Amino acid sequence: MDRVDPIAQWRPAPKAILRRIAIVTALTALGLQLPAGLALAFSETPYNEMLRLGSGWSLLATAGLVGVFAIEDLAAWRRRRREVWQLTASALIYDGPEGHGQVALSDIKTLRKQWLSRVVVTLQNGQSVVIRDLAHPAEVVAQIQAAQTAL
């Protein structure tokens, strides 16, 4: 491993996972409740009582799904919270529960911000590495690119 002091260091940010949970919750609720709301708004009188009963169950099912998604995301973050990514003058180093890894900066082909909290590092050989749950992924991309140009 590269024994040089790191230029930068990143860990999964709780803020990023909470933002992800909020977005997934909002999109799931909107996706599942919008059809029920539209059905109630444009329903005919004979079916109105049945739709009201169905919308109550739909709300309960939506709450259950949102809860499951939130628990799953929290569990994934809990597994990854001990990950540490370090940037040195010559390499990007991973240290976490899945093991240790190192990529030379010269082996990095492209860097791009993805979703709201990820950075995808594409290597010269076509493999990709994802740095997840970052509070400021654009800054991470800029720091890695600056280290690459300093080579």
Side-chain angles (χ1 to χ4, degrees):
M1 274 212 175
D2 202 347
R3 300 287 183 207
V4 181
D5 289 331
I7 297 170
Q9 181 172 305
W10 311 285
R11 295 178 179 272
K15 172 179 139 179
I17 195 66
L18 292 175
R19 180 176 50 209
R20 175 184 160 83
I21 289 171
I23 290 170
V24 168
T25 298
L27 291 176
T28 301
L30 180 66
L32 293 176
Q33 290 302 302
L34 187 62
L38 288 174
L40 278 173
F42 297 111
S43 66
E44 298 295 322
T45 308
Y47 302 108
N48 205 7
E49 288 301 317
M50 189 180 308
L51 285 172
R52 286 181 200 267
L53 179 64
S55 68
W57 286 107
S58 171
L59 188 60
L60 186 63
T62 300
L65 277 175
V66 164
V68 167
F69 292 159
I71 289 169
E72 183 179 272
D73 283 344
L74 284 172
W77 177 77
R78 195 171 168 174
R79 284 189 305 272
R80 286 194 304 265
R81 71 181 173 186
R82 290 184 301 273
E83 289 181 350
V84 178
W85 290 88
Q86 295 179 346
L87 176 64
T88 66
S90 61
L92 183 61
I93 301 169
Y94 168 81
D95 184 23
E98 295 178 10
H100 306 285
Q102 181 173 330
V103 174
L105 293 179
S106 59
D107 290 342
I108 297 175
K109 183 177 179 181
T110 60
L111 292 161
R112 64 185 160 90
K113 178 183 155 193
Q114 183 185 50
W115 191 224
L116 293 171
S117 61
R118 294 176 167 192
V119 171
V120 178
V121 180
T122 306
L123 306 177
Q124 297 290 346
N125 64 7
Q127 291 181 330
S128 294
V129 177
V130 180
I131 306 173
R132 291 178 164 79
D133 299 329
L134 297 168
H136 305 287
E139 291 177 15
V140 172
V141 169
Q143 288 175 328
I144 296 172
Q145 287 173 337
Q148 277 185 305
T149 57
L151 277 177

